[in-house]
Amino acid sequence: MKIRWKLACLLAVIVLDIVFAGALFFNYSKAKNTLFLPADAGGEAKEEVREQFSGSKQIALTFDDGPHSVYTPLLLDGLRKRGVHATFFLLGENVKGKEAIVKQMQEDGHLIGNHGYSHVQMSREAVANACEQIEENNKQIEAITGVRPQYLRPPYGSWNEELECTTNMTVVLWDVDTFDTVRQIS
């Protein structure tokens, strides 16, 4: 019985590895010709990028759910060293007590957006509750940075037209899933 269980587990791990490897290869194939350019690149390099990306293919580096007291400062240091800017979609409940990190994001030239107050599927919430989540986080971010967020990334990409009428913010979704929310069993 123990050998059957071990074989079944091994087979499951192999199948999962094949599935994840296929997903990674698919995402790699889509992004392998992407040109990454530091934010402080010279005029000629920027012009080359404009020519290459004058069509619909563009990439943006974004981070959701922060700030985190340990990992976000490390991330900010790494981005600063490389001259790279990103967009941080902040979760309101994670901001309290980390105001200095949010201020550092702004000082480093990153864009700060709204990810709601708590990580709920907004399309499943009452419109009034979803709006309250967005507005509470907007006020919090604006109190720290002096700038009202213009961009909103709803958790899980959960958004609908009914919610669109309630906010003047630009909703930012994604078209390549990194599968970073998939939990691995170890």
Side-chain angles (χ1 to χ4, degrees):
M1 183 69 172
K2 288 183 181 180
I3 291 177
R4 283 186 188 167
W5 175 248
K6 287 180 182 180
L7 287 174
C9 289
L10 179 62
L11 181 61
V13 168
I14 291 170
V15 168
L16 287 173
D17 281 348
I18 291 169
V19 168
F20 285 124
L24 286 173
F25 179 76
F26 174 75
N27 286 333
Y28 166 76
S29 297
K30 287 177 72 174
K32 70 181 177 182
N33 294 323
T34 302
L35 174 63
F36 294 94
L37 185 70
D40 61 351
E44 288 180 20
K46 287 182 180 181
E47 189 56 39
E48 180 183 339
V49 170
R50 277 194 200 98
E51 286 176 24
Q52 283 188 330
F53 292 101
S54 59
S56 62
K57 293 184 178 185
Q58 297 181 14
I59 187 168
L61 188 57
T62 65
F63 299 93
D64 298 352
D65 300 336
H68 187 276
S69 59
V70 174
Y71 300 113
T72 303
L74 293 172
L75 178 59
L76 290 171
D77 289 344
L79 293 170
R80 192 178 316 107
K81 286 177 188 173
R82 291 161 181 84
V84 174
H85 290 107
T87 302
F88 289 85
F89 290 98
L90 304 183
L91 199 57
E93 65 187 9
N94 290 342
V95 170
K96 191 170 187 169
K98 300 175 193 87
E99 292 83 357
I101 296 172
V102 175
K103 194 70 175 157
Q104 187 64 53
M105 288 174 183
Q106 181 187 34
E107 289 171 6
D108 287 354
H110 301 292
L111 185 63
I112 299 173
N114 188 326
H115 197 50
Y117 192 83
S118 61
H119 209 272
V120 298
Q121 285 188 295
M122 291 187 184
S123 64
R124 292 187 178 177
E125 295 289 311
V127 172
N129 186 38
C131 291
E132 187 177 306
Q133 288 249 344
I134 295 165
E135 185 57 26
E136 186 174 350
N137 198 17
N138 277 343
K139 287 179 181 177
Q140 182 174 243
I141 293 169
E142 186 174 16
I144 297 167
T145 65
V147 178
R148 187 171 181 81
Q150 296 179 11
Y151 299 94
L152 170 70
R153 172 170 283 164
Y156 311 102
S158 179
W159 193 251
N160 61 37
E161 289 180 19
E162 185 179 0
L163 292 167
E164 211 164 286
C165 299
T166 63
T167 180
N168 295 342
M169 300 177 79
T170 300
V171 177
V172 179
L173 301 174
W174 55 89
D175 60 356
V176 175
D177 193 341
T178 61
F179 299 105
D180 62 327
T181 58
V182 176
R183 299 204 186 268
Q184 295 182 355
I185 300 171
S186 53

